[in-house]
Amino acid sequence: MPPMDEAEIHAILSRIILSGRLPGRTKLPEMRLAERFGVSRERIRKVLHRLGHERLIDVVKNRGAFTVAPDLSEIRTVFEARRILEGGIAAHLADGLTDTGLLRLRDHVEREAEALRSGDRATWLELSAAFHVLLAELTENPIIVQQARELVGRTTMLATFFESATGSQCGCDEHRAVFRALAAGERGRAVRAMASHLAQVETRLKPFVCSDAAPDLDGLIDEYVGETSAA
Ligand SMILES: [Zn+2]
């Protein structure tokens, strides 16, 4: 395959990791990935570090990069933090969202529904996580954005391990309920819609069992590289 740039390699590896098809603690070997993608080990290291910052993998000093294997107690802590932070974000936005902000939100909710309709699960998962980051961005407070990004990243990672095979992470209808409450400027309703949404996301997380027949890392790279170049 032709050499890829860091963004392309990052996109492919994110998709593989977020597909939940690699078992926890799978090593992501720098050397082998460098050969597969036809780039230097430094390039691969940069991509792996970025994935580590996004909490999609664990990067362990002197040992390398691994897919994560989170424990169930982490779910409670992460969701409690999200309810506190995102309830506050919803309250804040209900009091003064601009027309531009509302348009961005509406557009986003529509794109989520479209991805779900067309069966594009990877895009839909990305968009549903991005909805929460977008709400944080609309506060125009960089500290809130940073916290939201980290918590959403951790949830996405947890979802790949604890999501039921058929279940969804974020319900489009639930996002729409948050959007409508914000559009109406109804603070109490917006906070309740967000709390109810996050509670439902948490409830939907169940232990996810990887199929024994799942392809290995090389097989998944072949599959996802093919998908990317066909798109
Ligand atoms: Zn959501």
Side-chain angles (χ1 to χ4, degrees):
M1 75 178 94
M4 292 187 173
D5 65 29
E6 280 160 36
E8 287 170 313
I9 297 170
H10 174 270
I12 288 167
L13 290 179
S14 307
R15 288 197 160 210
I16 291 174
I17 293 159
L18 291 174
S19 74
R21 291 165 72 196
L22 280 177
R25 313 306 312 162
T26 299
K27 181 150 189 170
L28 302 166
E30 248 175 53
M31 177 91 91
R32 204 161 101 222
L33 290 171
E35 282 166 11
R36 283 302 314 261
F37 288 107
V39 298
S40 66
R41 284 182 73 165
E42 284 63 38
R43 282 246 157 115
I44 293 294
R45 197 171 303 147
K46 270 195 198 164
V47 173
L48 293 176
H49 274 280
R50 184 173 156 200
L51 292 167
H53 278 297
E54 291 163 343
R55 301 248 174 202
L56 293 181
I57 58 171
D58 279 337
V59 179
V60 187
K61 213 174 174 188
N62 300 325
R63 290 192 48 222
F66 299 85
T67 57
V68 301
D71 66 86
L72 282 162
S73 68
E74 199 182 339
I75 290 183
R76 279 188 65 160
T77 316
V78 167
F79 274 91
E80 185 180 67
R82 287 193 61 173
R83 279 192 294 273
I84 295 168
L85 180 73
E86 297 189 59
I89 291 174
H92 179 82
L93 293 179
D95 287 343
L97 191 55
T98 61
D99 289 345
T100 321
L102 265 179
L103 282 176
R104 280 179 69 192
L105 268 183
R106 192 181 65 189
D107 175 61
H108 192 97
V109 171
E110 279 168 10
R111 282 194 294 142
E112 271 183 58
E114 179 49 39
L116 187 61
R117 260 197 303 275
S118 63
D120 185 351
R121 189 171 180 279
T123 301
W124 172 57
L125 277 176
E126 279 165 24
L127 286 172
S128 58
F131 173 78
H132 293 268
V133 176
L134 174 57
L135 287 174
E137 284 169 358
L138 293 172
T139 68
E140 295 180 354
N141 182 320
I143 296 170
I144 296 290
V145 175
Q146 192 192 340
Q147 296 299 322
R149 266 186 210 288
E150 175 169 344
L151 286 169
V152 168
R154 288 175 74 162
T155 311
T156 306
M157 198 57 249
L158 288 167
T160 66
F161 283 88
F162 297 112
E163 181 192 0
S164 69
T166 51
S168 59
Q169 195 196 353
C170 282
C172 276
D173 294 347
E174 294 156 26
H175 281 185
R176 202 167 275 140
V178 173
F179 164 73
R180 287 201 181 117
L182 291 176
E186 293 180 27
R187 186 187 174 117
R189 188 175 135 206
V191 174
R192 282 194 302 279
M194 180 56 87
S196 147
H197 169 50
L198 290 173
Q200 290 185 70
V201 177
E202 185 176 358
T203 309
R204 278 194 288 264
L205 294 180
K206 298 186 187 90
F208 177 81
V209 181
C210 269
S211 141
D212 288 335
D216 64 2
L217 180 58
D218 281 307
L220 287 168
I221 291 174
D222 287 339
E223 190 179 315
Y224 284 80
V225 166
E227 190 181 89
T228 306
S229 46

